[in-house]
Amino acid sequence: MQITLFENIVNFIKEKFPSKDFIPLHEPIFRGNERQYVNETIDSTFVSSVGSFVSQFEEMMCKITGSKYAVAIVNGTSALHMALLLSNVKKGDEVLTQSLTFIATCNAVSYLGASPIFIDVDIDSLGMSPKSLLNYLKNNAEIRKDGYCYNTLSGKRIKACVPMHTFGLPCRIDELLEICQEWNIKLIEDSAESIGSYYKEKHTGSFGEIGVFSFNGNKTITCGGGGALITNNRDLAIKAKHLTTQAKLPHQWAFIHDEIGYNYRMPNLNAALACAQLEQLFEFVENKRGLAKEYSNFFSSINLKYIDEIDQAKANYWLNAILFRNIEERDDFLKFANNNGVMSRPAWELMHKLPMFENSLRADLSNSEWLSDRLVNIPSSVR
Ligand SMILES: *Cc1c(COP(=O)(O)O)cnc(C)c1O
């Protein structure tokens, strides 16, 4: 009986991607000015740290996100590291985030010697739950005389909160922002997956003090490897540019650096690819939303839960997600689909189950665990 259900799903997906023997989860597509711009960098010899595509890319990111400043960074993980560093996160601090996320979010927290605290997600948005966040803070945190938020259990300062817009689906970011403001915690958005996604008509990543994006090969927009940070705070933007370029002071010939910096700049070669891809962002998102609509109708017709954007959200539907009834059914489907030419995969192993974070502080994570047992991502490429 199950096999008919699985066959149904696999056949439907194959209809959507007819020319493929094996349908990947998400593959890049280059049908704009990619070759032309990359060739321009080669012809100009400016493939590395100098070149006009980096600033062009930053301007495009500002336009798309409505943010005042954007800084190109070598990848999304480094951009997260930089965002936390700029938020003054240090050794011994704590950072609120999700257990249902990609490892990069927690790795960036760890690079600074800080510890993650895992907050639950909402079942419908797959992003950090405002209710879970507020509940955790009310029961485990206090604002002390210095005006800052401390964890009453560990005595450590809770400096930042990093929610993630899972699979490009916007979370309830305005409510999270309100809670963070009330508790004097910096909000950094991990919008690595949500370029082109909006909540209440504002681009994801532009609600918090800093938003972070990734342009890795599997994302909606790719430049091979790349990232960006956006902010409305001029000082932060200047500091980000400085720190990501080895903290070198501008000078015609001298190499003088005024603090410990990082080699986190995006090469011009990658920026060229990024510019060509960003020109097609809205076309890609419309294309992906078309597929999402077809998936949504199909899964409701066979009575399987498809994860739709929440009210007032406009998702890029980076990866489409469906829910099976239990972990056995999920695993049977994963086996069937992957053996039959349709790539599908479960959500990431929850962060608090990994050896590095198994002793980390956490809220009640029932929703994360429930979703993790049932969720499957299915092919979602631009067609
Ligand atoms: C892809 C991704 C990152 C990291 O981006 P890279 O460019 O691969 O370093 C960070 N967070 C999330 C949620 C991601 O999906």
Side-chain angles (χ1 to χ4, degrees):
M1 201 184 92
Q2 220 115 326
I3 296 296
T4 2
L5 170 71
F6 295 168
E7 256 168 6
N8 243 335
I9 300 172
V10 162
N11 288 339
F12 183 81
I13 297 172
K14 282 183 171 169
E15 266 172 42
K16 301 297 133 195
F17 297 92
S19 57
K20 297 254 178 248
D21 291 335
F22 183 82
I23 304 167
L25 206 60
H26 203 284
E27 63 178 348
I29 180 161
F30 304 113
R31 60 182 178 202
N33 291 319
E34 287 89 350
R35 276 170 193 82
Q36 187 196 324
Y37 292 176
V38 168
N39 278 333
E40 274 177 37
T41 69
I42 293 170
D43 293 341
S44 73
T45 76
F46 291 118
V47 292
S48 187
S49 52
V50 187
S52 60
F53 282 113
V54 173
S55 40
Q56 196 180 312
F57 165 73
E58 289 170 343
E59 281 164 31
M60 290 178 87
M61 284 300 291
C62 288
K63 230 177 239 154
I64 288 164
T65 61
S67 223
K68 281 203 187 122
Y69 307 96
V71 177
I73 296 180
V74 71
N75 59 54
T77 311
S78 310
L80 275 168
H81 181 194
M82 198 43 55
L84 290 160
L85 188 82
L86 292 169
S87 305
N88 204 24
V89 171
K90 292 196 166 82
K91 191 168 161 46
D93 290 333
E94 289 176 346
V95 175
L96 301 152
T97 188
Q98 308 175 189
S99 186
L100 181 76
T101 187
F102 178 55
I103 188 72
T105 324
C106 299
N107 278 343
V109 171
S110 306
Y111 296 162
L112 290 159
S115 323
I117 302 174
F118 297 117
I119 302 300
D120 208 6
V121 294
D122 281 330
I123 291 272
D124 55 355
S125 76
L126 309 181
M128 187 182 284
S129 158
K131 220 177 261 166
S132 172
L133 175 65
L134 188 57
N135 196 45
Y136 184 87
L137 290 169
K138 277 186 173 162
N139 291 318
N140 302 283
E142 61 183 11
I143 304 269
R144 291 197 187 153
K145 281 206 193 75
D146 60 6
Y148 292 121
C149 179
Y150 288 82
N151 191 318
T152 46
L153 206 68
S154 63
K156 293 176 174 178
R157 244 190 86 182
I158 302 177
K159 277 212 183 134
C161 177
V162 191
M164 200 269 280
H165 300 285
T166 309
F167 308 138
L169 298 160
C171 65
R172 294 183 168 82
I173 192 66
D174 56 340
E175 289 179 47
L176 296 172
L177 175 62
E178 213 179 297
I179 297 167
C180 286
Q181 283 171 339
E182 193 183 316
W183 287 82
N184 201 7
I185 295 166
K186 299 257 188 225
L187 180 67
I188 299 168
E189 289 174 76
D190 186 344
S191 24
E193 305 176 356
S194 66
I195 185 83
S197 298
Y198 296 78
Y199 188 61
K200 300 189 174 170
E201 293 183 3
K202 214 166 125 77
H203 199 287
T204 52
S206 69
F207 289 78
E209 176 136 72
I210 304 176
V212 164
F213 295 90
S214 165
F215 303 95
N216 189 35
N218 61 345
K219 298 291 197 313
T220 298
I221 293 290
T222 185
C223 62
L229 169 161
I230 59 167
T231 182
N232 283 329
N233 183 321
R234 184 167 181 271
D235 293 339
L236 286 184
I238 291 171
K239 191 120 202 261
K241 197 68 184 175
H242 187 59
L243 285 174
T244 53
T245 52
Q246 303 279 32
K248 183 183 179 294
L249 298 175
H251 191 279
Q252 204 177 354
W253 60 80
F255 272 74
I256 299 166
H257 310 260
D258 61 352
E259 60 186 309
I260 304 288
Y262 298 82
N263 180 14
Y264 276 1
R265 70 207 170 13
M266 178 189 280
N268 199 42
L269 193 63
N270 299 80
L273 199 54
C275 288
Q277 286 261 290
L278 279 180
E279 287 172 353
Q280 302 162 84
L281 174 66
F282 296 109
E283 180 197 326
F284 284 2
V285 170
E286 280 321 300
N287 184 305
K288 288 168 74 63
R289 288 180 62 80
L291 176 65
K293 189 87 205 125
E294 291 188 60
Y295 273 147
S296 174
N297 292 339
F298 171 71
F299 286 110
S300 84
S301 81
I302 61 165
N303 257 326
L304 211 66
K305 177 75 190 151
Y306 169 83
I307 310 275
D308 255 310
E309 62 199 1
I310 59 170
D311 196 33
Q312 293 188 274
K314 188 176 178 218
N316 67 7
Y317 287 102
W318 172 51
L319 291 185
N320 291 278
I322 54 177
L323 298 179
F324 286 94
R325 280 163 288 200
N326 51 54
I327 193 166
E328 291 78 23
E329 196 182 43
R330 180 201 75 173
D331 288 346
D332 288 345
F333 176 77
L334 287 171
K335 221 176 281 161
F336 184 89
N338 284 292
N339 284 339
N340 284 281
V342 172
M343 187 171 169
S344 56
R345 68 166 196 218
W348 313 278
E349 180 74 285
L350 294 171
M351 293 300 114
H352 70 281
K353 303 255 167 114
L354 301 177
M356 310 81 85
F357 303 116
E358 62 189 3
N359 297 317
S360 299
L361 297 176
R362 70 196 63 162
D364 175 275
L365 298 174
S366 320
N367 287 353
S368 307
E369 307 237 1
W370 189 88
L371 286 165
S372 169
D373 282 350
R374 290 164 177 77
L375 194 143
V376 168
N377 287 127
I378 51 177
S380 304
S381 307
V382 171
R383 295 174 296 163

